[in-house]
Amino acid sequence: MLWAASLALFAPLLGAILNGVFGHPFREKAHWPAVIAVGISMLASWWILGRVGFEPVVLDLYTWIPVANFVVPFGFYIDSLTAVMMGVVTTVSFLVHVYSIGYMHGDPGYRRYFAYLNLFVFSMLLLVLANNYALLFVGWEAVGLCSYLLIGFWYEKKSASDAGKKAFIVNRIGDAGFLLGIFTLFATFGSVRYDTVFQMVASNPHLYQGALVAATLFLFLGAVGKSAQFPLYVWLPDAMEGPTPVSALIHAATMVTAGVYMVARSHLLYSEVPQVGQLVASVGAFTALFAATMAMVNDDIKRVLAYSTISQLGYMFVAVGLGAYTAGIFHLYTHAFFKGLLFLAAGSVMHATHGELNMQKMGGFFRKMPHTAWTFLIGALALSGLPPLAGFFSKDEIIKHAYVTGHTFIWAVAVLTALLTAFYMFRLIFLVFFGKPRDAEIYAHLHESPPVMTVPLWILAAASVGAGWVGIGEEHSVFHRFLETALGEFHLVEWTVHRPAGVGLIALSVGVALLGILLAYSLYLLRKPDPALLARRAGFLYTLLKRKYYVDEIYNLFVVGTLRVTAKVLFWGVDRALVDGTVNGTGWTLAATGSVFRRWSSGFLRSYLLWILIGANFLVWFLLRSGGGH
Amino acid sequence: MNPTLYLLLSLLLFGLGAAGVVLRRNTLFMLLNLELMMNAVGLALVAASLAGLLEGQLIVLMVLAVAAAEVAIGIGILVSMVRLKDSPLVDLWNREEP
C-alpha cells in the first residue's frame, strides 16, 4: 500500500522534474514522460482502489515539522474516500494528458505545459493522500499555484495573465480562512492529524461544540474559495483563459472539487455542527441557482460550461451540507467525467474553429465533426440528468435527499436549477451543432479533430453513460457500500425529518430536464418565440444576467477600489514619506554637512596652517583660563 | 632676574614667525619663519631658566639638534620640489593645479 501510494504520488512529480528541469532534449516529445508518469500513477491508484480495506491505512513517511508539540508528519491516510478521489483524479488526468498531445501540438510552451500539468497531478494527489490538515493545505496551495500557472499559460495575452492573478488573489481570501481553521483545530485538539482529531471528536462530541463551529466555518471559507462558491466564485469564469484541457482537468473535474472532498473528509466535524451544515447547503443551493441563471445568457462556449461547473459544485455542497456525504462524492465522481468530457469536446470545437468561442458565430457543426458532436451530446444529456446516464443518478440522489430531510426550499431551488441546467446545455448544443451555420468562413474551415483527441472523448463519453450505474439502489448500491467504510453512512443529524419519497420525485426531476430541453429547442432551433425578441422584452432582467449581476463591477468598486486607495495611501504616506524619507533624509543630511565642510579641505597648505594656528591659540587660551593645568 | 622682557620678546618673535608661515607663499621663506618660531620657543625656555629651572636649557640644546636635522631634510625636499615644479611657491605645488 505504501509503495503503491508513493508511486502514484511521486511518479507525476518525477515527470514534472524531467520535463521542467532536464526537459530540453524532449521538446517535441515532452508528452512521453508526462503521459507515462500519469499512466503509472493511474495504475497504482486503481490497484489501491481494489485493495483498500475496511480500516483507514495511516502511514507516516517522516516527520515534516517537529517544533515542540507542533508535530506535522508527511504521511498518507488511505481509505475508500481517498481511493475514489485518487481514481477519479488520475483517470481524468490521464485522458486529459493524452488529449493534450493533440490539442497543444506545436505550441511553443509544449514542454512547460506538460511540466505544469504533471506538477498539478502531484499536488492534487498530495491533497487527497495527506493524513493531516497541514499537509492537505500544502497540496491545497500547490494546486492553486498550478492553477495560476496554467490559467496564465499564454502569459503574453493580457487577459490570461490578469485571469491568473485574479484566481490567485481571490483564492487567497478563502485560504486565509482555511489557515485559521487549521489553527483553530490545533489550538483545540493539539494536533492537525486526521486520526487524532477525529478520535477526540468522536469520543467527546459535545465538549468541542464552540471550537468545531469556528473550525468548520473557517474551513468552509477555504472551500468556498477553492470550489468557486458564492461570493468567491468570480475567478472561475475568468479562468477559462487557460488552455481548454486545463479547464477540463483543473477547473471542472479535480481541483475545484477539493472543497467538497475536504468537507467530506472532515465529515465527523461537520456532522457535529448541523447549523454549519445548513449554511453550507444554503450557500451551495444559492450558488447553484445563481450560476445557472448566468449560464443561460452567456455566448462564450467555455464560460457557459464554467458557470455550469459552479452550479454543479453548488449541488455537491448541498449534499455534503445536509449530511449526504456519499451523495456529494458520488456527484463529484460522475461530474468529473461528464464535465471533463464537455470541456474537452468544447476544446475540440475550438481546435476546429481556431479558437473561436462565440456561439453566435457557430451553428450546424454536427455534420462536420460528428465525434465531437455525439460525445458532447452525451455529456450534455448526462449533465441534464436524464436516465440512464451518470448525472441522473447522482443529481437525483441529492435532490431526493434535500426533499427527504425536509429542506423544501433547498429542494425547490435544486429542481429549478435542474430545469435551467437542461435549458442552458441544450441552448449551447442547438446553437453550436444544429441549425444553419451563422459564419460561413468558420464553417468552411471546420474539420474533425485527430484520434488522439477523439478517443479520450469517447472513453469519457462511455464513463458519462456508465459511471452512474454503481450508484443504482442508493444506500444499498456498490458505491455507497464501498464509501461506507470511510464516510460512515448516515450521520444524519437530529433535525432530520423523514419524508417519504415516491416515484413522483424522480418523474419530476426527469420532467424538468425534458422541459428545459424542449424550451431550448423551441427558442434556439425553431426560433419561436425569437430569443432576441424575448431578450428585449425581458429588458433589465436580461441585461442583469448578461452583465453577470454586475458582481465584477461591484467587487471592482468596493473591494478592489478600497484596496487601491489603501495601497496608494500606504505607498505615498508610509513607503514614500516615512521609509524612503528616513533613508533619503539621512543621505541628504550627510551630503549637506559634507558640502559645508568640504570647503575646509581646499588643498592650500597655508590655509591649513592658519587653522592649526587658530586651534593652537584656542587650546592655549583654554588651558590658561582653566588654571594652566594645575 | 626678571624673565618678563625675554618672554615678551619670545612672544613677539613667535608671532612674527607664525604670521610669516601663514602669509608667505615662498616655501623657502616659510621654512625660515618656521625656524624663527622654533627659536622663539627656545628663547622662552632659556628665559625660564632665569627663574631657576635648568631643564629648559637642556631642552633647548635638543631642540637645536632636531632643528638642524629638520632643516637639512626640509631644504632637500624644497630643492627637489622646486626642480620638479619650476617654482618655489607652495600654492602651485597642488597636484590638481595647472
Side-chain angles (χ1 to χ4, degrees):
Chain A
M1 196 65 99
L2 175 67
W3 283 108
S6 305
L7 198 64
L9 178 64
F10 291 112
L13 179 64
L14 191 69
I17 292 171
L18 269 181
N19 261 329
V21 183
F22 307 107
H24 204 62
F26 297 118
R27 257 173 298 191
E28 297 303 305
K29 299 263 177 276
H31 51 267
W32 280 113
V35 170
I36 290 171
V38 178
I40 292 171
S41 187
M42 178 174 70
L43 293 177
S45 301
W46 286 354
W47 189 84
I48 291 176
L49 198 59
R51 288 289 296 269
V52 69
F54 197 77
E55 282 289 307
V57 180
V58 187
L59 303 160
D60 281 6
L61 263 65
Y62 64 95
T63 306
W64 173 38
I65 306 178
V67 181
N69 59 346
F70 184 71
V71 180
V72 179
F74 186 101
F76 303 144
Y77 187 95
I78 304 170
D79 59 7
S80 47
L81 176 61
T82 316
V84 167
M85 285 301 291
M86 284 177 78
V88 170
V89 168
T90 53
T91 309
V92 177
S93 295
F94 180 74
L95 293 171
V96 167
H97 271 75
V98 173
Y99 176 94
S100 299
I101 299 173
Y103 189 84
M104 298 302 287
H105 178 76
D107 194 282
Y110 197 62
R111 185 163 68 88
R112 185 164 55 94
Y113 174 81
F114 277 104
Y116 288 168
L117 217 53
N118 267 356
L119 189 64
F120 168 76
V121 177
F122 164 74
S123 317
M124 189 70 204
L125 288 174
L126 185 66
L127 190 162
V128 171
L129 274 166
N131 71 351
N132 58 72
Y133 282 98
L135 196 59
L136 170 85
F137 189 65
V138 174
W140 188 273
E141 286 300 306
V143 288
L145 167 73
C146 295
S147 162
Y148 161 77
L149 289 172
L150 284 162
I151 293 168
F153 180 73
W154 289 310
Y155 52 81
E156 65 275 15
K157 223 167 72 183
K158 175 99 169 81
S159 58
S161 66
D162 280 352
K165 276 185 275 181
K166 187 173 178 183
F168 205 75
I169 292 166
V170 172
N171 265 303
R172 230 60 359 241
I173 302 169
D175 292 346
F178 197 93
L179 262 182
L180 288 177
I182 297 176
F183 295 160
T184 314
L185 285 178
F186 180 73
T188 317
F189 300 106
S191 172
V192 289
R193 294 180 66 107
Y194 293 153
D195 38 9
T196 318
V197 172
F198 296 163
Q199 229 159 36
M200 285 175 81
V201 173
S203 63
N204 203 346
H206 298 294
L207 190 61
Y208 304 112
Q209 275 288 325
L212 278 181
V213 169
T216 48
L217 275 177
F218 281 139
L219 290 178
F220 179 59
L221 183 58
V224 165
K226 186 103 322 189
S227 295
Q229 295 295 293
F230 186 84
L232 297 181
Y233 68 90
V234 287
W235 63 273
L236 190 58
D238 284 12
M240 296 301 123
E241 293 289 342
T244 310
V246 168
S247 313
L249 177 61
I250 301 185
H251 305 119
T254 54
M255 184 191 85
V256 288
T257 60
V260 182
Y261 165 76
M262 191 276 298
V263 175
R265 171 57 77 212
S266 320
H267 68 279
L268 279 168
L269 315 184
Y270 279 90
S271 8
E272 293 305 332
V273 278
Q275 324 85 286
V276 178
Q278 291 267 27
L279 178 78
V280 171
S282 309
V283 169
F286 177 73
T287 311
L289 183 63
F290 188 68
T293 53
M294 288 188 280
M296 288 197 309
V297 296
N298 211 304
D299 282 332
D300 184 313
I301 183 168
K302 280 183 75 181
R303 281 195 163 72
V304 170
L305 293 176
Y307 283 119
S308 165
T309 305
I310 299 173
S311 172
Q312 296 302 310
L313 288 165
Y315 269 112
M316 297 176 207
F317 277 108
V318 168
V320 294
L322 297 182
Y325 303 105
T326 314
I329 295 296
F330 187 36
H331 196 52
L332 186 163
Y333 151 82
T334 56
H335 176 259
F337 293 121
F338 58 70
K339 189 51 68 62
L341 166 65
L342 287 171
F343 266 112
L344 291 186
S348 177
V349 170
M350 283 172 65
H351 194 65
T353 57
H354 299 286
E356 182 58 57
L357 284 164
N358 191 347
M359 295 194 287
Q360 301 295 354
K361 289 187 180 171
M362 300 177 184
F365 283 14
F366 200 100
R367 210 166 314 148
K368 289 249 187 168
M369 35 196 336
H371 292 294
T372 307
W374 272 114
T375 50
F376 200 100
L377 189 62
I378 291 169
L381 284 170
L383 175 58
S384 307
L386 285 181
L389 284 85
F392 164 72
F393 298 103
S394 55
K395 194 194 280 183
D396 205 53
E397 206 177 309
I398 295 172
I399 294 176
K400 190 187 139 200
H401 187 83
Y403 182 79
V404 167
T405 53
H407 294 86
T408 317
F409 189 67
I410 290 180
W411 169 77
V413 170
V415 171
L416 180 59
T417 308
L419 170 73
L420 299 182
T421 307
F423 175 75
Y424 66 66
M425 275 325 292
F426 278 84
R427 168 177 177 266
L428 195 161
I429 285 200
F430 291 135
L431 280 177
V432 174
F433 294 107
F434 294 93
K436 290 206 175 66
R438 275 179 294 273
D439 191 317
E441 169 96 17
I442 288 177
Y443 188 73
H445 290 97
L446 272 189
H447 57 87
E448 182 59 283
S449 302
V452 73
M453 288 164 73
T454 51
V455 169
L457 286 182
W458 276 111
I459 296 172
L460 279 173
S464 303
V465 174
W469 296 343
V470 295
I472 298 177
E474 313 222 329
E475 292 90 72
H476 310 293
S477 65
V478 183
F479 196 81
H480 274 251
R481 264 180 302 160
F482 183 65
L483 275 181
E484 205 172 6
T485 58
L487 294 176
E489 199 53 52
F490 301 125
H491 276 278
L492 290 189
V493 268
E494 297 93 39
W495 36 263
T496 303
V497 188
H498 267 285
R499 256 201 294 208
V503 184
L505 217 55
I506 299 174
L508 179 68
S509 56
V510 176
V512 293
L514 287 173
L515 180 66
I517 297 173
L518 268 178
L519 268 176
Y521 180 74
S522 110
L523 270 169
Y524 292 98
L525 218 54
L526 303 179
R527 301 263 160 193
K528 261 188 272 177
D530 190 37
L533 191 74
L534 209 61
R536 234 173 295 132
R537 282 275 171 74
F540 176 68
L541 195 65
Y542 179 78
T543 323
L544 188 69
L545 290 180
K546 194 83 184 162
R547 299 302 301 272
K548 300 167 269 182
Y549 293 101
Y550 296 98
V551 169
D552 274 336
E553 282 80 359
I554 292 169
Y555 281 3
N556 269 338
L557 191 65
F558 289 104
V559 182
V560 181
T562 317
L563 286 176
R564 258 174 210 272
V565 170
T566 319
K568 278 225 170 93
V569 169
L570 286 177
F571 177 66
W572 290 109
V574 175
D575 199 56
R576 273 295 161 89
L578 211 70
V579 178
D580 286 7
T582 313
V583 174
N584 289 338
T586 314
W588 284 327
T589 314
L590 290 176
T593 321
S595 72
V596 170
F597 287 102
R598 187 165 57 105
R599 294 173 199 287
W600 276 351
S601 306
S602 58
F604 289 109
L605 189 61
R606 295 176 307 128
S607 107
Y608 296 161
L609 288 172
L610 183 63
W611 281 112
I612 291 172
L613 208 63
I614 291 170
N617 273 316
F618 173 78
L619 266 179
V620 169
W621 169 78
F622 183 77
L623 286 174
L624 286 178
R625 215 183 65 120
S626 61
H630 292 291
Chain B
M1 257 184 98
N2 193 351
T4 314
L5 280 174
Y6 294 101
L7 285 179
L8 277 176
L9 178 64
S10 160
L11 186 67
L12 184 69
L13 286 177
F14 189 86
L16 277 174
V21 167
V22 174
L23 294 176
R24 296 305 294 253
R25 299 205 298 164
N26 191 319
T27 318
L28 184 63
F29 284 98
M30 286 171 76
L31 277 177
L32 285 175
N33 281 303
L34 215 57
E35 291 303 313
L36 196 58
M37 285 167 76
M38 217 176 311
N39 285 321
V41 173
L43 182 61
L45 285 166
V46 173
S49 69
L50 286 177
L53 294 164
L54 290 178
E55 294 94 328
Q57 299 188 7
L58 206 68
I59 293 170
V60 168
L61 284 177
M62 282 192 236
V63 167
L64 281 179
V66 171
E70 175 253 315
V71 164
I73 295 170
I75 291 292
I77 293 173
L78 174 68
V79 168
S80 60
M81 281 306 280
V82 169
R83 277 193 188 154
L84 202 67
K85 297 278 180 180
D86 273 341
S87 164
L89 300 185
V90 74
D91 290 350
L92 298 182
W93 288 6
N94 279 339
R95 190 178 278 250
E96 294 86 0
E97 300 282 330

